[in-house]
Amino acid sequence: MTFSKLRTLAFAAALMVPMSAWALDLQQAKTNGWVGETPKGFIAQVGAAPADALRLVETINAKRLEEYKKISLKQNQPVDVVARLMGEKLYERAAPGEYLQQPNGSWAKK
């Protein structure tokens, strides 16, 4: 089996993991101040973060984009509109002390 096929299989397997399995890692990354929510419905690195946290950002954002696309098709809305609306909900749901990106790009704790 080629490296490319292995990588594809690994990625497919990762996508099958329920979001709740990622939530613990995401919550830990948020609690440690490594990642925060953006107004565009995605997460981003807040400051210096370990490589695991950065990979988590990429994985979570890819999964979110996949879901936003599905909702976009069902609701007949552009993906960026769906993502932005979800970003608003994620801001509301953020726990005290979690980082939220401000319109000017800076980060502030809720």
Side-chain angles (χ1 to χ4, degrees):
M1 191 175 281
T2 67
F3 177 74
S4 177
K5 286 182 182 178
L6 285 174
R7 187 176 62 190
T8 302
L9 287 173
F11 182 70
L15 290 177
M16 290 190 272
V17 176
M19 287 299 285
S20 60
W22 295 115
L24 293 174
D25 291 330
L26 177 58
Q27 190 56 50
Q28 183 179 18
K30 285 181 174 183
T31 300
N32 287 325
W34 297 326
V35 302
E37 295 289 344
T38 72
K40 295 181 180 181
F42 297 96
I43 58 173
Q45 178 182 350
V46 173
D52 288 350
L54 302 179
R55 282 191 296 274
L56 180 67
V57 167
E58 292 174 4
T59 302
I60 295 291
N61 284 343
K63 193 72 172 154
R64 284 186 180 183
L65 180 59
E66 183 180 316
E67 290 301 314
Y68 296 162
K69 286 179 180 179
K70 289 178 187 176
I71 295 168
S72 171
L73 289 172
K74 288 179 185 176
Q75 299 295 324
N76 196 28
Q77 292 290 324
V79 174
D80 63 324
V81 170
V82 171
R84 190 179 69 247
L85 291 172
M86 190 53 145
E88 291 174 10
K89 290 183 184 292
L90 291 167
Y91 268 46
E92 291 171 10
R93 295 179 191 163
E98 290 182 1
Y99 282 96
L100 303 174
Q101 191 176 45
Q102 304 305 299
N104 67 1
S106 67
W107 293 95
K109 285 186 177 183
K110 182 173 183 182

